[in-house]
Amino acid sequence: MTLEITDLRVSLGKRSYPITIAPGLLEDSALLQRSIVGEQVLIVTNETVAPIYLDRITAQLEGKQLGYVILPDGEKFKRLSTVQTIYDKLLQERHNRTTTLVALGGGVVGDMTGFAAATYQRGVSFVQIPTTLLAQVDSSVGGKTGVNHPLGKNMIGAFHQPVAVIIDTKTLDTLPQREFQAGLAEVIKYGLICDAEFFAWLETNIHLLMERDATALQYAIARSCENKAKIVEADERESGVRAILNFGHTFGHAIETATQYEAWLHGEAVGFGMIMALDLSCRLGYLSTQDCARAEALIKLANLPLSPPAGLPSTQGMIDLLGLDKKVMNGQLRLIMLRSLGDAFVTADFDMNCLEQTLNACLARTT
Ligand code: NAD
Ligand code: GLY
């Protein structure tokens, strides 16, 4: 069966760009060539993705001045010293302002390549070719780029939109199951924050996604990207509504920081972070217990963790970590809460006792 190409667009005036989604797009040389205007190209990938996909990309870019950098794999390498190796290569190979960087990999490669593109010679073009589910539905779209600091996740970064996002859904064939499930957390997030109809679709079709059914996958990726594009178009630099994309992330980032990014994958931390945010939405009286139970049931069907990893600090330690969040304003923590499935909002107005109760309850969970 051949699936049709889904063409979407992020409309941001001069910074607008296409998102193209279909299986087999890595073989489409015209598509890749169209996305690259200048003669110089630097592909940035990592040691896991390069042996599987790098040759396919280089084959499509014959005639360009082509280089590549292979980064070490892992969230712990998402730091400035790794980005330095991208700058080194760009300078050694004399890339100028018309160069294009191509991010080939998951969110870690995408965020670092985007940051290098945002900062090299004060900004050059880059193309996202995301190869994990998480990157295909979230990190490749919207222009958030950056690296971690030992004291906090994604603390160093820049907004810099790609010139194109090319999503070859077939690359998911080689993605380990645990990584795939972590990506589902971000898919479920869109249903929870802004798309009740999609949430209901996910409840009915989650088993097809877990089997990686090609049609269901392309639909879920496209619907996720559509939702993200709409939110980014409304608030590119996160001065308002874009913050809802961080549902569950304040808790998730605290877990990742507390465990030095080693216990869980980012999507797993987001999944359990959403469990915490649902619990608090319920305790604060915003969300019904029925909706909370439906949301948790879907997270469970995606096989995401429902109890915390080992090594988390006490409730007070977690509160301190929550205070590092980028949504903190004038010393005040802001959280994303749900009013109902598909309806999220940002608030600084919550009872600290309820937050403590949520943390106590969730940190004590065993299933
Ligand atoms: P990742 O980039 O670490 O990729 C996960 C693993 O899968 C890695 O080992 C990678 O080498 C491997 N891999 C990638 N593609 C593969 C393929 N097709 N086949 C086999 N293996 C493959 O993790 P991720 O979940 O893609 O991204 C997480 C990162 O994204 C975090 O750093 C997070 O902060 C960031 N993020 C950014 C945004 C944003 O808006 N910029 C949004 C969400 C998440
Ligand atoms: N992943 C959160 C955002 O892009 O805003």
Side-chain angles (χ1 to χ4, degrees):
M1 180 186 51
T2 317
L3 285 170
E4 282 185 16
I5 293 179
T6 308
D7 284 306
L8 303 174
R9 193 159 181 81
V10 184
S11 295
L12 291 168
K14 283 184 179 158
R15 294 180 307 288
S16 300
Y17 52 95
I19 305 173
T20 313
I21 311 169
L25 289 182
L26 291 193
E27 321 300 332
D28 186 341
S29 57
L31 176 65
L32 194 54
Q33 293 270 359
R34 246 196 336 267
S35 312
I36 293 170
V37 177
E39 289 311 307
Q40 296 181 309
V41 182
L42 185 77
I43 303 167
V44 183
T45 186
N46 75 16
E47 60 202 2
T48 305
V49 176
I52 325 178
Y53 297 114
L54 181 58
D55 282 356
R56 291 195 213 173
I57 304 293
T58 51
Q60 314 303 345
L61 290 172
E62 261 180 32
K64 300 276 183 196
Q65 181 201 315
L66 195 58
Y68 59 84
V69 187
I70 299 179
L71 305 178
D73 186 3
E75 181 76 35
K76 66 171 186 267
F77 297 107
K78 187 176 157 183
R79 57 188 190 208
L80 278 175
S81 58
T82 310
V83 175
Q84 175 78 31
T85 62
I86 306 176
Y87 299 140
D88 291 347
K89 191 77 175 180
L90 285 164
L91 285 163
Q92 282 154 9
E93 296 188 351
R94 295 178 176 273
H95 284 254
N96 58 49
R97 276 189 164 161
T98 61
T99 193
T100 301
L101 273 59
V102 173
L104 173 68
V108 170
V109 165
D111 280 12
M112 284 197 287
T113 308
F115 185 65
T119 46
Y120 183 67
Q121 299 198 4
R122 300 200 181 85
V124 297
S125 297
F126 84 114
V127 173
Q128 288 272 20
I129 305 187
T131 60
T132 63
L133 181 57
L134 186 138
Q136 295 184 353
V137 298
D138 193 352
S139 61
S140 63
V141 175
K144 275 191 183 175
T145 74
V147 293
N148 301 327
H149 185 278
L151 295 180
K153 176 131 173 104
N154 293 336
M155 283 293 156
I156 318 293
F159 286 100
H160 188 60
Q161 300 294 341
V163 293
V165 181
I166 298 172
I167 301 179
D168 182 343
T169 52
K170 208 148 170 37
T171 57
L172 299 180
D173 289 356
T174 55
L175 191 68
Q177 185 62 13
R178 190 174 161 203
E179 296 288 352
F180 182 82
Q181 289 163 190
L184 285 177
E186 301 281 11
V187 174
I188 293 170
K189 175 187 80 179
Y190 293 108
L192 291 174
I193 62 170
C194 63
D195 192 347
E197 193 183 277
F198 184 42
F199 181 86
W201 182 90
L202 286 169
E203 285 183 308
T204 311
N205 292 285
I206 187 76
H207 64 287
L208 291 178
L209 293 180
M210 290 296 275
E211 290 160 14
R212 306 192 196 194
D213 173 87
T215 310
L217 254 182
Q218 185 162 334
Y219 176 76
I221 293 167
R223 185 94 178 211
S224 299
C225 288
E226 263 178 286
N227 277 308
K228 178 135 188 193
K230 261 190 242 160
I231 293 172
V232 169
E233 285 163 5
D235 177 22
E236 184 183 4
R237 295 176 77 92
E238 200 171 308
S239 48
V241 68
R242 183 165 180 170
I244 67 171
L245 287 169
N246 284 312
F247 180 66
H249 287 55
T250 305
F251 296 105
H253 288 167
I255 294 172
E256 289 186 277
T257 305
T259 53
Q260 286 91 45
Y261 311 105
E262 276 170 3
W264 274 356
L265 304 176
H266 174 70
E268 292 171 332
V270 167
F272 192 63
M274 293 197 297
I275 297 272
M276 292 168 131
L278 289 162
D279 181 289
L280 185 55
S281 303
C282 213
R283 272 178 214 277
L284 291 169
Y286 294 124
L287 186 69
S288 71
T289 46
Q290 292 89 330
D291 278 355
C292 186
R294 272 178 74 188
E296 185 165 329
L298 185 57
I299 293 168
K300 186 174 180 186
L301 286 171
N303 211 14
L304 288 159
L306 300 177
S307 56
L312 289 190
S314 62
T315 291
Q316 188 49 54
M318 284 296 284
I319 290 174
D320 292 344
L321 285 173
L322 295 176
L324 284 175
D325 191 79
K326 288 194 291 306
K327 285 184 296 307
V328 170
M329 244 186 212
N330 302 322
Q332 234 189 346
L333 180 60
R334 295 180 311 140
L335 292 171
I336 319 302
M337 296 284 103
L338 287 198
R339 273 189 211 96
S340 61
L341 300 175
D343 184 9
F345 66 104
V346 191
T347 183
D349 182 19
F350 55 87
D351 180 349
M352 216 37 201
N353 290 326
C354 289
L355 176 61
E356 281 175 19
Q357 285 165 17
T358 288
L359 288 168
N360 287 337
C362 291
L363 294 179
R365 284 178 76 132
T366 50
T367 53

XYZ file of all heavy atoms in Angstrom, residues 46 48-49 52-53 73-75 78 105-111 131-135 138-145 148 153-154 171-176 179 182 186 189 228 242 249 253 256 265-267, ligand 1:
413
model
N 24.246 11.329 14.617
C 24.985 10.733 15.740
C 25.449 9.318 15.394
O 25.123 8.778 14.328
C 24.175 10.802 17.050
C 23.042 9.795 17.097
O 22.999 8.841 16.322
N 22.107 9.997 18.005
N 24.588 6.452 16.325
C 23.580 5.396 16.143
C 22.848 5.547 14.808
O 22.595 4.566 14.100
C 22.533 5.469 17.293
O 23.238 5.409 18.529
C 21.522 4.345 17.222
N 22.523 6.778 14.480
C 21.710 7.041 13.281
C 22.580 6.998 12.016
O 22.131 6.516 10.962
C 20.999 8.415 13.430
C 20.220 8.771 12.172
C 20.067 8.395 14.655
N 22.832 3.877 9.858
C 21.571 3.437 9.229
C 21.141 4.393 8.110
O 20.687 3.947 7.062
C 20.408 3.330 10.262
C 20.887 2.863 11.632
C 19.289 2.424 9.741
C 19.794 2.781 12.709
N 21.278 5.704 8.315
C 20.625 6.645 7.381
C 21.540 7.648 6.688
O 21.109 8.297 5.736
C 19.504 7.411 8.113
C 18.410 6.491 8.600
C 18.185 6.295 9.959
C 17.608 5.796 7.694
C 17.199 5.425 10.410
C 16.615 4.924 8.129
C 16.421 4.752 9.496
O 15.456 3.886 9.914
N 26.092 9.693 21.072
C 24.633 9.530 21.249
C 24.258 9.686 22.724
O 24.869 9.054 23.588
C 24.247 8.125 20.752
C 22.745 7.903 20.757
O 22.003 8.843 21.093
O 22.325 6.777 20.404
N 23.244 10.473 22.997
C 22.697 10.503 24.356
C 22.399 11.912 24.851
O 23.092 12.868 24.498
N 21.374 11.958 25.713
C 20.961 13.242 26.304
C 22.113 13.881 27.082
O 22.229 15.097 27.137
C 19.753 12.964 27.227
C 19.155 14.169 27.913
C 18.297 15.056 27.006
O 17.610 14.538 26.109
O 18.313 16.276 27.217
N 24.045 16.409 25.277
C 23.351 17.617 24.782
C 23.875 18.804 25.588
O 23.242 19.268 26.535
C 21.836 17.431 24.930
C 21.021 18.548 24.306
C 19.538 18.254 24.405
C 18.706 19.492 24.324
N 17.278 19.223 24.498
N 18.323 12.899 12.910
C 18.295 12.137 14.157
C 17.108 12.508 15.015
O 16.121 13.079 14.532
N 17.243 12.198 16.298
C 16.159 12.493 17.239
C 16.232 13.924 17.744
O 16.955 14.763 17.190
N 15.502 14.168 18.843
C 15.413 15.521 19.374
C 16.735 16.062 19.877
O 16.970 17.275 19.807
N 17.610 15.187 20.350
C 18.897 15.655 20.872
C 19.723 16.247 19.722
O 20.225 17.386 19.808
C 19.643 14.513 21.588
C 21.062 14.911 21.903
C 18.904 14.124 22.870
N 19.831 15.503 18.627
C 20.561 16.001 17.449
C 19.867 17.249 16.902
O 20.509 18.266 16.579
C 20.643 14.893 16.355
C 21.047 15.470 15.012
C 21.629 13.813 16.786
N 18.536 17.214 16.832
C 17.777 18.346 16.273
C 17.967 19.615 17.086
O 18.202 20.694 16.528
N 17.890 19.501 18.413
C 18.036 20.696 19.265
C 19.441 21.287 19.172
O 19.620 22.505 19.142
C 17.748 20.340 20.742
C 16.255 20.262 21.048
O 15.449 20.250 20.091
O 15.888 20.211 22.235
N 14.107 11.504 13.145
C 14.024 10.045 12.954
C 13.474 9.307 14.176
O 13.482 8.082 14.205
C 15.412 9.477 12.588
O 16.311 9.783 13.669
C 15.945 10.050 11.288
N 13.069 10.045 15.227
C 12.339 9.392 16.330
C 10.907 9.899 16.289
O 10.635 10.985 15.746
C 12.920 9.741 17.717
O 12.777 11.155 17.944
C 14.368 9.346 17.848
N 10.010 9.129 16.928
C 8.610 9.580 16.965
C 8.515 10.911 17.706
O 7.813 11.827 17.282
C 7.742 8.510 17.659
C 6.257 8.845 17.752
C 5.645 9.107 16.376
C 5.488 7.733 18.467
N 9.246 11.028 18.814
C 9.188 12.258 19.590
C 9.618 13.466 18.749
O 8.984 14.525 18.764
C 10.074 12.139 20.838
C 9.967 13.332 21.795
C 9.929 12.877 23.242
C 11.095 14.315 21.574
N 10.683 13.293 17.999
C 11.164 14.414 17.176
C 10.185 14.696 16.036
O 9.997 15.845 15.646
C 12.557 14.096 16.651
N 7.123 16.566 17.676
C 7.294 17.699 18.578
C 8.567 18.500 18.300
O 8.513 19.617 17.780
C 7.282 17.196 20.040
C 7.150 18.310 21.053
O 7.218 19.480 20.659
O 6.973 18.025 22.256
N 9.738 17.925 18.606
C 10.923 18.788 18.681
C 11.364 19.363 17.336
O 12.020 20.406 17.310
C 12.088 18.030 19.335
O 12.444 16.906 18.590
N 11.018 18.713 16.206
C 11.497 19.230 14.914
C 10.695 20.443 14.446
O 11.101 21.149 13.535
C 11.443 18.118 13.854
O 10.104 17.707 13.654
N 9.543 20.658 15.067
C 8.637 21.740 14.641
C 8.645 22.834 15.706
O 8.573 22.540 16.899
C 7.199 21.172 14.476
C 6.201 22.286 14.161
C 7.163 20.091 13.412
N 8.747 24.073 15.297
C 8.527 25.155 16.263
C 9.742 25.967 16.623
O 9.621 27.014 17.256
N 10.954 25.495 16.243
C 12.130 26.356 16.362
C 12.744 26.511 17.732
O 13.568 27.395 17.940
N 12.371 25.665 18.689
C 13.104 25.723 19.968
C 14.380 24.917 19.794
O 14.343 23.742 19.417
C 12.275 25.117 21.102
C 11.304 26.098 21.719
C 10.723 25.540 22.999
C 9.702 26.472 23.584
N 9.034 25.881 24.766
N 15.521 25.546 20.071
C 16.800 24.852 19.927
C 17.611 25.071 21.200
O 17.351 26.023 21.926
C 17.610 25.439 18.746
O 18.130 26.722 19.126
C 16.769 25.589 17.492
N 21.418 21.454 27.313
C 21.215 21.418 28.767
C 22.393 22.069 29.489
O 23.507 22.153 28.960
C 21.117 19.968 29.257
C 19.978 19.217 28.593
O 18.945 19.797 28.275
N 20.152 17.922 28.374
N 17.596 21.661 32.610
C 17.380 21.162 31.244
C 17.067 22.308 30.273
O 16.299 23.214 30.601
C 16.192 20.206 31.322
C 15.767 19.670 30.010
C 15.601 18.199 30.007
C 14.999 17.786 28.696
N 15.962 17.199 27.817
N 17.631 22.234 29.083
C 17.352 23.201 27.998
C 17.515 24.651 28.454
O 16.774 25.534 28.012
C 15.921 23.015 27.465
C 15.734 21.694 26.759
O 16.686 21.099 26.268
N 14.501 21.216 26.700
N 11.512 5.690 8.877
C 12.687 5.642 9.763
C 12.293 5.077 11.137
O 13.148 4.609 11.883
C 13.332 7.043 9.955
O 12.346 7.944 10.464
C 13.902 7.578 8.659
N 10.989 5.112 11.440
C 10.569 4.577 12.748
C 10.698 3.058 12.808
O 10.669 2.470 13.893
C 9.119 5.003 13.061
C 8.906 6.524 13.140
C 7.451 6.843 13.441
C 9.816 7.154 14.193
N 10.837 2.412 11.642
C 10.982 0.936 11.615
C 12.181 0.483 12.452
O 12.196 -0.630 12.962
C 11.191 0.427 10.175
C 9.914 0.542 9.354
O 8.880 0.930 9.935
O 9.980 0.261 8.137
N 13.215 1.325 12.538
C 14.430 0.902 13.253
C 14.488 1.441 14.686
O 15.472 1.209 15.394
C 15.696 1.374 12.489
O 15.611 2.795 12.306
C 15.831 0.700 11.140
N 13.445 2.154 15.087
C 13.470 2.776 16.421
C 13.118 1.742 17.498
O 12.100 1.061 17.384
C 12.451 3.932 16.452
C 12.526 4.860 17.656
C 13.828 5.678 17.624
C 11.331 5.822 17.664
N 13.946 1.627 18.555
C 13.610 0.662 19.619
C 12.244 0.972 20.236
O 11.836 2.132 20.308
C 14.735 0.866 20.644
C 15.853 1.506 19.891
C 15.227 2.314 18.789
N 11.892 3.714 22.916
C 11.958 5.067 22.355
C 10.637 5.426 21.682
O 10.167 6.562 21.772
C 13.084 5.165 21.302
C 14.481 4.953 21.831
C 14.986 6.115 22.687
O 14.306 7.154 22.755
O 16.062 5.961 23.298
N 8.116 6.313 24.255
C 8.402 7.639 24.823
C 7.827 8.732 23.910
O 7.293 9.743 24.386
C 9.908 7.811 25.004
N 4.284 12.375 23.901
C 4.064 13.708 23.317
C 2.835 13.689 22.397
O 2.142 14.696 22.273
C 5.308 14.177 22.540
C 6.588 14.266 23.378
C 6.712 15.521 24.260
O 5.716 16.265 24.406
O 7.820 15.745 24.802
N -0.048 14.001 24.615
C -0.084 15.380 25.124
C -1.004 16.265 24.280
O -1.799 17.037 24.833
C 1.338 15.945 25.123
C 1.435 17.395 25.513
C 2.840 17.920 25.317
C 3.113 18.278 23.870
N 4.460 18.820 23.637
N 0.674 21.328 16.792
C 1.846 22.112 17.218
C 1.982 23.356 16.350
O 2.251 24.454 16.861
C 3.120 21.260 17.156
C 4.338 22.086 17.538
C 5.294 21.445 18.462
C 6.358 22.430 18.933
N 7.472 21.812 19.592
N 1.719 29.158 23.967
C 2.683 28.085 23.653
C 3.094 27.305 24.898
O 3.456 26.135 24.804
C 3.917 28.652 22.933
C 4.887 27.558 22.523
C 5.921 27.990 21.523
N 6.787 26.865 21.214
C 7.675 26.832 20.240
N 7.814 27.865 19.448
N 8.417 25.752 20.042
N 5.707 18.809 31.516
C 7.152 18.951 31.342
C 7.843 19.537 32.569
O 9.010 19.238 32.819
C 7.468 19.818 30.122
C 7.219 19.125 28.813
N 6.005 18.558 28.472
C 8.039 18.889 27.747
C 6.089 18.028 27.269
N 7.304 18.213 26.813
N 10.876 17.564 33.595
C 12.244 18.103 33.590
C 12.882 17.972 34.979
O 14.080 17.712 35.096
C 12.238 19.584 33.174
C 11.940 19.791 31.718
N 11.635 21.008 31.181
C 11.904 18.919 30.678
C 11.434 20.887 29.882
N 11.583 19.625 29.551
N 14.119 14.510 35.236
C 15.333 14.312 34.428
C 16.550 14.949 35.096
O 17.631 14.363 35.120
C 15.147 14.946 33.039
C 14.183 14.196 32.151
C 14.177 14.799 30.752
O 13.465 15.798 30.545
O 14.887 14.279 29.886
N 14.014 8.048 29.678
C 14.020 8.817 28.435
C 13.158 10.062 28.648
O 12.258 10.065 29.503
C 13.432 7.973 27.304
C 14.118 6.630 27.058
C 13.372 5.852 25.984
C 15.564 6.870 26.648
N 13.412 11.096 27.846
C 12.662 12.350 28.000
C 11.143 12.101 27.933
O 10.377 12.573 28.775
C 13.093 13.336 26.901
C 12.286 14.588 26.873
N 12.364 15.547 27.854
C 11.348 15.038 25.989
C 11.539 16.533 27.580
N 10.904 16.251 26.450
N 10.704 11.331 26.960
C 9.258 11.082 26.797
C 8.672 10.330 27.989
O 7.513 10.547 28.361
P 17.139 11.157 21.164
O 17.436 12.219 20.209
O 18.109 10.894 22.252
O 16.849 9.828 20.360
C 16.531 8.662 21.069
C 17.452 7.483 20.695
O 17.030 6.941 19.444
C 18.910 7.849 20.530
O 19.697 6.795 21.007
C 19.051 7.961 19.017
O 20.361 7.767 18.559
C 18.146 6.860 18.559
N 17.568 6.979 17.231
C 17.116 8.086 16.631
N 16.483 7.764 15.495
C 16.573 6.432 15.359
C 16.106 5.518 14.387
N 15.332 5.903 13.373
N 16.389 4.206 14.554
C 17.111 3.789 15.642
N 17.553 4.603 16.604
C 17.280 5.913 16.458
O 15.728 11.443 21.921
P 14.338 12.025 21.407
O 13.320 11.389 22.265
O 14.201 11.987 19.944
O 14.446 13.574 21.804
C 14.535 13.984 23.140
C 15.130 15.375 23.156
O 14.266 16.272 22.474
C 15.304 15.930 24.559
O 16.575 16.509 24.669
C 14.237 17.000 24.657
O 14.592 18.057 25.518
C 14.131 17.458 23.232
N 12.846 18.076 22.891
C 12.885 19.263 22.267
C 11.705 19.876 21.903
C 11.745 21.159 21.133
O 10.694 21.781 20.957
N 12.885 21.573 20.643
C 10.477 19.258 22.166
C 10.488 18.024 22.808
C 11.689 17.431 23.167
